[in-house]
C-alpha cells in the first residue's frame, strides 16, 4: 500500500464508523441508479444527479483531511410538478446510503422574531434522526445480552429470592481489622480547656484474622459475639443445600419460560417514568424545551409498579436493558459524525417561499425572510443542539418545488447560488403510469393484491385492465389538476371501493379485474366532469 493510499485510509477512518460503512459499500453511480429504478419510474436526469452527488461524497471522504474540508457538497434543486417522484428519490437515496435523512417543508418556517418554527430546528430534527439510527444499530449488537438479562430479571420476578446475591465484602483471612481503642482531642492553643479548633481522633490497633481458633483471652478482649453471629455461621453451612434447591427450581422455570408456558402469567414490575417537559405552543422554543428536558432528566423520574403479563414484562425489561447496555456518549458522537459527513435534508415546497416577481409585495415572514434564514444553514454554520454543536458544512441539501407560479430565479440570488445543480423532472404520461402499476417492487397493483389476500380474496389484474387504468389516470390529470402518480391512488381506490367493502362477506373467492370491470366502475366518473372533480 502506497503512502497516499495509507493516508486516504487513515483519513477516512477518522470520519466515523458510519462513514466507513459508506465507503466500504463503494456504490457506483450506475449501481445507485439501478437501485432507484426498482422503486421510481423514469426521471433519469434526477437519478443521475443524486447518484453523482452520493459518489462525490464517497470520493471526498477518501481524501486527506486538509483537502476534504474544502470540498463542499453540490446541493440539488429539483423542479417538477407534484407526484413525479422528487421526494421518493431523496428518501430512497438516503436509505440506500444509510445516511440520516429528514424531509421538511419550507412553508412551516418563519423569519426570526416571529412566532413559528425556527429554521435551525431542521438540523435538530436531523440530529435526532441520526441519534435514533445509531442507537438502533448499537442496540442490535447487544440484543442477545439484553435478552439474557431480561430473562434473569423475569425469573427474579417469578421466583423472588432465588437470584444470586452479591457476596458481602467480609474481611478475608489474614486481612487486618482495626479494633477501636478510644479517642482523644488535640488543643492547638495548648490552653487549659478544649480549643475551638480542637480535633477528635479515633485510635485503633490493627489485628489479623486467620483460620485458627482465637484464644479465650482474645475473645474476651474483642466485642462479645452475639447469637445472631452464631446463627449466621450455621446458616452459611446450610446455604449450599438451600442454594442448590433454589437453582434447580430456577432452571425449571427458565425452561418453562423459554418454552412459552408462562407468557400469560401476571407479574408485578417496576417501571421508571421520565418526567416530560411541559408542552409549549408555538415554535422557536426548541432551546427552552431542551433545557427544561435536560433539567427534569437530571432530577430523575418517578417509578410505579404495574401488573403486566410475562410477555409484556419481557418487552419492558429488554428495552430497559438495551438502554443500559448502549453508551449514550458514544451514540451521540457517532450520530454527530454521520450527520455532519453524510446527512441529507430534503426541503420541499421551496417554491412557496419564493418572492413571485412583481406580485411579491412587501416583506413576508413566510417568504424572503425564511430564505435569508435558510441561507446560512445551507452555506455552512454551527447549530447548537442538545447533543452538542452540529456543523452543516457538508450536509447535502436537496430542495424541490413545482415552480408552476414562481420561478427558481425568484429565489434570492445567494440562495440560488447554493443550489448549483438544477434538475427538471418530467411530467408523467400514460406509459409512465403503466410502468408504475407494474414494474416497481412496491407497485400499486401488487399492494392491493396483498391487501385483499389478507381477506382470502384473490384478485388478478389483466394487462388490458392495467392499460385502461393508466389511460384513465393520464386523462384525468390532463382534464383536472395534474397531480402526477398520486392520481393512481384515487383511481385505484374508486375502482376497488366496493370490493374492499364486501371482501369479508364474500371470501374466499377469486375476482378478475378486467377492462370491462374498469369501465363499469370508472367510466362514468371520468366522463362526468362535475362528479369526477370531487371524486377523482
Amino acid at each position: 500500500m502506497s503512502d497516499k493510499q495509507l493516508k486516504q485510509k487513515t483519513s477516512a477512518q477518522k470520519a466515523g464508523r458510519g462513514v466507513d460503512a459508506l465507503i466500504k459499500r463503494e456504490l457506483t453511480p450506475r449501481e445507485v441508479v439501478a437501485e432507484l429504478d426498482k422503486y421510481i419510474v423514469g426521471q433519469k436526469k434526477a437519478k443521475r444527479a443524486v447518484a453523482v452527488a452520493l459518489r462525490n461524497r464517497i470520493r471526498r471522504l477518501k481524501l486527506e483531511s486538509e483537502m476534504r474540508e474544502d470540498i463542499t457538497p453540490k446541493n440539488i434543486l429539483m423542479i417538477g410538478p407534484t407526484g413525479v417522484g422528487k421526494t421518493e428519490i431523496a428518501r430512497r437515496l438516503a436509505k440506500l446510503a444509510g445516511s440520516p435523512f429528514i424531509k421538511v417543508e419550507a412553508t412551516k418556517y418563519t423569519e426570526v422574531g416571529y412566532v413559528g418554527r425556527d429554521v435551525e430546528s431542521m438540523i435538530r430534527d436531523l440530529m435526532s434522526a441520526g441519534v435514533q439510527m445509531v442507537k438502533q444499530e448499537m442496540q442490535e449488537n447487544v440484543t442477545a445480552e439484553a435478552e439474557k438479562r431480561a430473562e434473569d430479571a423475569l425469573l427474579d420476578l417469578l421466583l423472588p429470592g432465588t437470584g444470586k446475591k452479591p457476596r458481602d465484602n467480609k474481611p478475608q483471612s489474614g486481612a487486618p481489622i482495626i479494633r477501636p481503642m478510644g479517642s482523644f482531642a488535640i488543643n492547638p492553643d495548648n490552653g487549659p480547656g478544649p480549643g475551638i479548633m480542637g480535633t477528635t481522633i479515633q485510635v485503633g490497633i490493627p489485628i489479623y484474622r486467620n483460620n485458627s481458633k482465637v484464644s479465650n483471652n482474645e475473645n474476651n478482649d474483642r466485642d462479645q459475639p452475639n447469637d445472631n453471629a452464631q446463627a449466621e455461621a450455621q446458616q452459611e453451612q446450610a446455604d449450599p443445600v438451600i442454594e442448590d434447591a433454589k437453582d434447580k427450581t430456577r432452571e425449571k422455570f427458565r425452561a418453562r419460560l423459554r418454552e412459552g408456558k408462562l407468557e400469560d402469567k401476571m407479574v408485578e414490575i417496576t417501571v421508571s417514568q421520565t418526567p416530560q417537559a411541559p408542552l409549549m405552543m408555538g415554535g422557536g422554543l426548541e432551546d427552552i424545551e431542551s433545557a427544561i428536558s435536560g433539567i427534569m432528566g437530571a432530577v430523575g423520574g418517578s417509578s410505579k409498579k404495574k401488573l403486566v403479563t410475562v410477555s409484556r414484562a419481557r418487552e419492558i425489561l429488554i428495552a430497559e436493558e438495551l438502554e443500559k447496555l448502549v453508551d449514550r456518549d458514544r451514540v451521540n458522537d457517532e450520530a454527530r459524525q454521520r450527520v455532519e459527513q453524510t446527512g441529507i435534508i430534503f426541503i420541499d415546497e421551496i417554491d412557496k417561499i419564493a418572492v413571485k416577481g412583481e406580485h411579491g409585495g412587501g416583506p413576508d415572514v413566510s417568504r424572503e425572510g425564511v430564505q435569508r434564514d435558510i441561507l446560512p444553514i445551507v452555506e455552512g454554520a454551527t447549530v447548537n443542539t442538545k447533543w452538542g454543536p452540529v456543523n452543516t458544512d457538508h450536509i447535502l441539501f436537496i430542495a424541490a418545488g413545482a415552480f408552476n407560479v414562481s420561478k427558481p430565479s425568484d429565489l434570492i440570488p445567494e440562495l440560488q447560488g447554493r443550489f448549483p445543480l438544477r434538475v427538471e423532472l418530467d411530467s408523467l404520461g400514460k406509459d409512465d403510469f403503466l410502468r408504475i402499476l407494474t414494474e416497481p417492487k412496491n407497485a400499486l397493483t401488487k399492494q392491493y393484491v396483498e391487501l385483499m389476500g389478507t381477506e382470502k380474496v384473490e384478485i388478478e389484474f389483466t394487462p388490458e385492465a392495467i392499460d385502461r387504468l393508466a389511460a384513465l389516470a393520464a386523462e384525468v390529470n390532463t382534464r383536472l389538476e395534474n397531480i402526477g402518480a398520486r392520481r393512481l391512488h384515487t383511481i385505484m381506490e374508486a375502482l376497488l371501493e366496493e370490493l374492499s367493502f364486501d371482501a369479508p362477506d364474500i371470501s374466499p373467492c377469486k375476482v378478475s379485474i378486467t377492462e370491462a370491470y374498469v369501465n363499469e366502475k370508472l367510466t362514468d366518473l371520468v366522463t362526468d366532469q362535475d362528479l369526477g372533480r370531487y371524486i377523482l
Side-chain angles (χ1 to χ4, degrees):
M1 182 181 292
S2 64
D3 293 341
K4 184 176 181 180
Q5 290 175 333
L6 182 61
K7 288 182 180 180
Q8 290 178 349
K9 182 178 180 181
T10 305
S11 178
Q13 288 175 345
K14 293 180 180 179
R17 186 179 61 180
V19 177
D20 288 341
L22 178 64
I23 296 175
K24 187 176 181 181
R25 295 192 68 179
E26 293 279 355
L27 290 172
T28 65
R30 195 177 304 277
E31 291 173 341
V32 172
V33 172
E35 289 294 324
L36 294 176
D37 284 340
K38 296 179 181 179
Y39 302 95
I40 304 154
V41 170
Q43 314 303 352
K44 292 293 184 183
K45 295 180 181 178
K47 291 176 182 176
R48 289 171 66 92
V50 297
V52 171
L54 181 61
R55 185 65 179 184
N56 282 336
R57 287 188 140 193
I58 299 175
R59 293 166 179 160
R60 184 185 74 85
L61 292 171
K62 291 183 176 181
L63 298 175
E64 299 179 12
S65 58
E66 183 177 355
M67 178 64 70
R68 188 174 67 227
E69 293 302 318
D70 295 334
I71 298 177
T72 58
K74 305 303 182 288
N75 299 320
I76 302 171
L77 177 62
M78 294 184 181
I79 306 168
T82 182
V84 296
K86 301 187 295 292
T87 305
E88 191 65 15
I89 287 175
R91 182 181 290 112
R92 292 292 175 181
L93 179 73
K95 189 174 182 180
L96 187 63
S99 303
F101 170 82
I102 61 166
K103 174 185 177 294
V104 300
E105 295 178 2
T107 53
K108 289 186 176 181
Y109 300 102
T110 59
E111 187 178 355
V112 171
Y114 292 87
V115 176
R117 193 161 171 79
D118 183 10
V119 294
E120 290 187 352
S121 64
M122 70 173 68
I123 306 299
R124 300 187 184 98
D125 293 341
L126 181 64
M127 186 62 190
S128 177
V131 168
Q132 187 64 30
M133 174 186 293
V134 175
K135 181 179 177 182
Q136 185 175 357
E137 290 178 3
M138 290 187 176
Q139 286 181 345
E140 289 176 356
N141 296 329
V142 295
T143 300
E145 178 64 22
E147 291 176 350
K148 180 181 177 182
R149 294 188 180 187
E151 183 180 71
D152 290 334
L154 271 177
L155 291 173
D156 292 340
L157 294 173
L158 293 168
L159 300 170
T162 63
K164 294 183 179 180
K165 298 179 180 179
R167 296 181 60 184
D168 296 334
N169 295 324
K170 295 181 179 180
Q172 298 177 356
S173 176
I177 302 175
I178 304 300
R179 290 171 55 190
M181 295 293 293
S183 62
F184 63 91
I186 298 176
N187 184 0
D189 299 331
N190 294 323
I196 298 175
M197 300 298 293
T199 304
T200 301
I201 300 178
Q202 296 285 340
V203 179
I205 299 176
I207 63 171
Y208 292 85
R209 180 191 297 270
N210 51 34
N211 293 330
S212 61
K213 295 183 179 179
V214 294
S215 62
N216 292 332
N217 293 333
E218 287 181 334
N219 284 336
N220 292 332
D221 292 339
R222 299 180 188 174
D223 296 334
Q224 293 293 331
N226 52 27
D227 295 338
N228 291 336
Q230 295 177 357
E232 278 185 23
Q234 294 175 359
Q235 182 67 26
E236 288 180 1
Q237 295 177 357
D239 277 349
V241 178
I242 297 175
E243 291 299 325
D244 185 57
K246 288 181 179 180
D247 290 343
K248 290 182 178 179
T249 304
R250 189 178 180 88
E251 292 305 316
K252 289 180 181 179
F253 270 76
R254 188 189 301 274
R256 295 180 63 189
L257 193 62
R258 292 178 177 177
E259 292 172 1
K261 296 180 179 179
L262 303 176
E263 294 299 295
D264 297 331
K265 186 176 178 61
M266 303 299 292
V267 293
E268 190 178 58
I269 186 172
T270 303
V271 181
S272 59
Q273 292 180 311
T274 303
Q276 298 294 328
L279 179 63
M280 296 188 178
M281 302 304 294
L285 300 175
E286 289 86 356
D287 292 333
I288 299 176
E289 292 183 7
S290 297
I292 293 177
S293 299
I295 294 172
M296 299 181 74
V299 173
S302 60
S303 60
K304 69 174 184 178
K305 294 184 177 181
K306 293 177 63 177
L307 197 63
V308 296
T309 61
V310 168
S311 59
R312 175 57 182 155
R314 183 186 291 105
E315 296 175 3
I316 297 173
L317 292 171
I318 289 177
E320 291 181 352
E321 294 298 333
L322 286 173
E323 287 288 340
K324 296 176 184 177
L325 289 170
V326 173
D327 185 0
R328 291 188 179 182
D329 293 335
R330 184 183 172 193
V331 169
N332 295 343
D333 293 341
E334 175 68 21
R336 186 162 55 249
Q337 287 283 354
R338 289 199 192 186
V339 167
E340 291 181 345
Q341 302 297 330
T342 67
I344 299 176
I345 295 181
F346 182 79
I347 306 177
D348 202 4
E349 308 293 350
I350 198 170
D351 59 316
K352 304 300 187 297
I353 64 171
V355 179
K356 303 166 187 175
E358 60 183 12
H359 302 292
D364 192 330
V365 297
S366 63
R367 289 186 186 173
E368 188 171 344
V370 179
Q371 295 184 55
R372 290 195 298 266
D373 290 344
I374 290 179
L375 181 61
I377 303 295
V378 179
E379 284 182 337
T382 300
V383 178
N384 291 322
T385 70
K386 64 181 180 181
W387 301 277
V390 177
N391 188 278
T392 67
D393 287 341
H394 302 290
I395 294 176
L396 176 63
F397 291 87
I398 302 177
F403 290 100
N404 50 359
V405 177
S406 59
K407 304 182 298 296
S409 58
D410 291 331
L411 295 169
I412 60 176
E414 296 86 352
L415 192 59
Q416 293 182 47
R418 288 298 165 179
F419 289 90
L421 299 181
R422 308 283 178 86
V423 181
E424 187 171 355
L425 283 81
D426 303 322
S427 298
L428 301 179
K430 175 188 173 183
D431 294 337
D432 297 313
F433 290 144
L434 186 62
R435 295 179 58 194
I436 291 173
L437 288 171
T438 55
E439 291 184 9
K441 293 179 65 175
N442 59 346
L444 210 54
T445 52
K446 299 176 184 177
Q447 294 179 20
Y448 279 97
V449 168
E450 296 297 328
L451 285 174
M452 291 294 101
T454 61
E455 300 278 4
K456 296 183 180 180
V457 175
E458 183 182 352
I459 61 175
E460 180 184 3
F461 290 88
T462 63
E464 294 78 14
I466 296 176
D467 185 85
R468 180 59 177 159
L469 286 171
L472 290 176
E475 181 181 349
V476 175
N477 270 349
T478 303
R479 184 179 303 172
L480 304 177
E481 191 70 25
N482 184 6
I483 61 174
R486 293 187 176 94
R487 183 69 67 186
L488 290 173
H489 291 272
T490 60
I491 292 288
M492 293 292 290
E493 282 296 324
L495 174 68
L496 300 175
E497 180 184 9
E498 183 177 348
L499 182 60
S500 297
F501 186 84
D502 296 332
D505 302 322
I506 63 176
S507 64
C509 67
K510 182 176 181 179
V511 179
S512 180
I513 307 298
T514 62
E515 183 178 2
Y517 186 95
V518 173
N519 290 331
E520 178 186 351
K521 301 294 182 182
L522 297 179
T523 301
D524 292 339
L525 294 179
V526 175
T527 55
D528 190 341
Q529 295 187 12
D530 294 332
L531 186 60
R533 190 181 304 275
Y534 291 101
I535 297 179
L536 299 179

